[in-house]
Amino acid sequence: VRVAVTVLAFAVITTVSLRSAETESYAGKEWTAPGGDWGGTRYSTLDRISTQNIKQLGGAWVVETPDRAEATPIVKDGRMFIVTGAGVILALDPATGRTLWTFKPETPFSGKRGVGIGDGLLFAAQRDSNVMAISQETGKVVWTSQHPKEIPSQGMAAAPAYGNGVVVG
């Protein structure tokens, strides 16, 4: 089953000016966490879309995915990353919807929680509690962290988070 994902006006808002990033920690033109920012506020400082012009918005582009995409897209460094329910990751150009690369894991993992992002890598949580690091640039696996065998695998309840060189799953 192929599912089409419609992205409404995201191409427009990627070019919007931002308020000072030094005074606010909300998401702007980049959406680097499932909730947009570390606080999961789902709030953006972009201001070109308003209650006055919302009715004028329309679809910017459509991309087909190999299965349902349920996680919040991540936008970083001029790329949008979409994760499907079976763990397929697509890197897209947010202005055009063009697919830059597709990562299909050897063993499907639940992509419902999305991926973490940092230092040029995407972090994906596998069903066995291991974490994969995938290059934002190429879509290739850079490393896999094996979870200790003495600790039972429980999966992960959220997308891995990245900060100060540490991945937390």
Side-chain angles (χ1 to χ4, degrees), residues 40-147:
T41 64
R42 300 190 186 285
Y43 177 79
S44 172
T45 59
L46 299 176
D47 59 6
R48 287 191 47 195
I49 298 174
S50 68
T51 56
Q52 289 76 35
N53 67 12
I54 191 81
K55 291 181 182 177
Q56 299 167 3
L57 296 179
W61 45 265
V62 175
V63 64
E64 288 189 33
T65 59
D67 63 289
R68 187 179 197 130
E70 298 178 17
T72 302
I74 299 292
V75 180
K76 177 86 170 129
D77 299 330
R79 292 183 180 211
M80 177 181 283
F81 302 98
I82 294 177
V83 186
T84 73
V88 175
I89 302 171
L90 291 94
L92 308 172
D93 177 339
T96 65
R98 183 175 65 94
T99 301
L100 304 171
W101 53 257
T102 301
F103 170 76
K104 185 173 182 180
E106 290 178 24
T107 304
F109 66 90
S110 178
K112 290 183 178 186
R113 290 162 178 78
V115 293
I117 194 165
D119 268 352
L121 300 172
L122 300 170
F123 303 102
Q126 298 176 290
R127 289 185 179 141
D128 59 4
S129 299
N130 293 334
V131 175
M132 285 188 300
I134 300 153
S135 168
Q136 280 180 237
E137 187 69 28
T138 66
K140 305 286 184 213
V141 175
V142 175
W143 53 258
T144 300
S145 172
Q146 299 294 320
H147 122 289

